[in-house]
Amino acid sequence: MKDENPWLDIKDVEAWLGPTQVFRSLTLRLMQGENTAILGPNGSGKTALVKLISRNIYPIVKRGSTLKIFGNQTIKLNQLRSRIGVVSTDLEVRTPDFISAKDVVLSGLYGSIGINRNRSPKGKEIKKVQKLISELGLEDIGAKSFGQLSDGERRRLLIARAMINKPEILILDEPTNGLDLKARHQLLKCIRMLCKGKTTIILITHRVEDIVKEMQRVIFLKNGEIIQDGATNDLLQSEPLGKLYETPLEIIFANGYYQVIPG
């Protein structure tokens, strides 16, 4: 159920990623309980938006510009991490191959990568890990190391890691990149299941096919600007998508999934 108060409230924000200006005057409100896909071609500012939310980059201070998360302009990073889970390829790259799959998920409780030797997980924590691994269909990989897993298994395991704290918001940043067809279908099935839970899902992607029917809202992002924002059924149509990607497209909806073919 959508909340009337935004968990993210951005108004007239300017931001830079190194020497590059990624946002000139960004205004965006995201509501709790409203699963949202942010769609745009490569270089549109999608990853920069994730960095802005996770406080890896900061907006330029100027009059009339605000960035509030859960109603606050200042928020401690440890509080942010407990309320917002982020799954990205960056996290995948930083996770060492030797860590066991169970410890990858368990480490989400501590905000670490891996488990410190001095830390002894409690029985209650281990049960939470086992429950999540089971829910995401990963029972067969619990004893394996991260390096032994396929790309699809790694992504779903990192989703389990992000969900271990029961975050209010889960951000999936380009979750299907590099996955083969079977792994991609398994991950999309997982995303559909998550969308039906209590956590609000934010999907960041350049692929229309990643957007499942449980996404209520779609935002088109291009060159650091929001060019369209509306209901999924309204925007995932041939004409608006063709304008976003500057190429003729035809969209097909079947079995709860969207597919795009050349127009």
Side-chain angles (χ1 to χ4, degrees), residues 3-16:
D3 197 323
E4 293 302 319
N5 297 314
W7 69 267
L8 178 69
D9 193 355
I10 298 174
K11 181 181 178 183
D12 194 25
V13 157
E14 176 185 346
W16 294 69

Side-chain angles (χ1 to χ4, degrees), residues 30 34-38 200-203 215-219:
L30 297 178
E34 185 175 52
N35 298 320
T36 302
I38 298 175
T200 301
I201 308 300
I202 307 298
L203 175 69
M215 289 282 161
Q216 296 120 316
R217 178 183 176 192
V218 175
I219 295 167

